[in-house]
């Protein structure tokens, strides 16, 4: 969708999510040699309640979020339409699914996967909490990292990209 509808996607990111597209994250060329990362950025909350995430060495914004009150490692992904949990992270967050719950299909980094649409009671990063967030869970083994997408980010007042930092405003 994004490749075919770049202008619509840019307008959504700027108007709805409040992301400043004039700032950029670290280029992929500066990523770690193995392409992976076990790093996680600490969510820093300032006195105004804004949360700042620092880019990891691979240029991604990875942190620990509280999903339904339980710690889950996530990657913030402005290109993801929704919050997309791995099967294992969903279980960690107390979300248990049956095979019959996987009623939709989605394209993941590992190919097409069956997904189960869900509603997440709460997601917190630092001092920011968003309740009743639409999301999905990929079938077991099809997604290795939970993505914090636009169904969370779009509920914030603003998401601001700065040099090697992503600032979330509640």
């Amino acid at each position: 969708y994004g490749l075919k509808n770049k202008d619509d996607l840019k307008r959504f990111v700027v108007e709805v999510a409040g992301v400043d597209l004039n700032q950029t994250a670290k280029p992929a060329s500066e990523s770690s040699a193995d392409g992976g990362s076990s790093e996680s950025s600490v969510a820093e909350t300032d006195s105004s309640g804004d949360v700042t995430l620092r880019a990891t060495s691979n240029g991604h914004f990875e942190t620990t979020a509280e999903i339904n009150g339980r710690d889950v490692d996530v990657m913030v992904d402005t290109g993801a339409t929704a919050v997309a949990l791995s099967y294992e992270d969903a279980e960690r967050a107390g979300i248990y699914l049956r095979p019959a719950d996987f009623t939709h299909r989605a394209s993941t980094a590992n190919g097409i996967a069956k997904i189960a649409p869900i509603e997440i009671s709460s997601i917190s990063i630092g001092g920011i909490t968003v309740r009743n967030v639409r999301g999905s869970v990929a079938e077991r083994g099809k997604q290795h990292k939970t993505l914090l997408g636009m169904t969370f980010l779009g509920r914030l007042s603003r998401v601001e990209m700065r040099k090697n930092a992503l600032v979330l405003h509640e």
Side-chain angles (χ1 to χ4, degrees):
Y1 177 84
L3 292 175
K4 291 183 180 179
N5 301 288
K6 290 178 194 168
D7 292 335
D8 290 342
L9 186 57
K10 284 180 185 175
R11 189 170 32 261
F12 176 81
V13 169
V14 171
E15 292 174 7
V16 175
V19 174
D20 182 358
L21 295 177
N22 294 320
Q23 300 291 324
T24 58
K26 186 187 296 186
S29 62
E30 294 181 30
S31 296
S32 63
D34 66 1
S37 172
S38 60
E39 290 180 76
S40 185
S41 176
V42 175
E44 303 166 10
T45 304
D46 68 18
S47 60
S48 67
D50 294 343
V51 173
T52 300
L53 301 174
R54 304 279 172 214
T56 59
S57 63
N58 64 10
H60 294 287
F61 296 99
E62 298 179 24
T63 192
T64 300
E66 253 188 43
I67 298 179
N68 294 343
R70 297 186 179 110
D71 286 349
V72 174
D73 291 333
V74 300
M75 181 169 65
V76 178
D77 186 352
T78 58
T81 305
V83 174
L85 281 79
S86 70
Y87 188 91
E88 296 74 18
D89 285 346
E91 285 187 335
R92 188 173 296 111
I95 301 167
Y96 300 99
L97 300 164
R98 300 166 295 146
D101 294 327
F102 292 87
T103 57
H104 292 71
R105 294 189 181 277
S107 180
T108 71
N110 294 328
I112 301 296
K114 289 182 183 177
I115 62 169
I118 60 168
E119 184 170 289
I120 302 162
S121 296
S122 67
I123 300 175
S124 299
I125 296 180
I128 294 175
T129 298
V130 178
R131 301 192 185 286
N132 304 318
V133 180
R134 285 183 308 107
S136 65
V137 176
E139 62 187 326
R140 186 184 301 272
K142 290 292 185 174
Q143 183 175 326
H144 301 293
K145 188 75 164 178
T146 289
L147 304 177
L148 203 59
M150 293 308 296
T151 53
F152 172 83
L153 298 170
R155 302 263 303 273
L156 303 178
S157 66
R158 194 174 68 206
V159 177
E160 183 181 354
M161 192 75 103
R162 295 182 186 162
K163 183 177 173 86
N164 296 323
L166 188 67
V167 183
L168 310 177
H169 306 271
E170 188 167 24

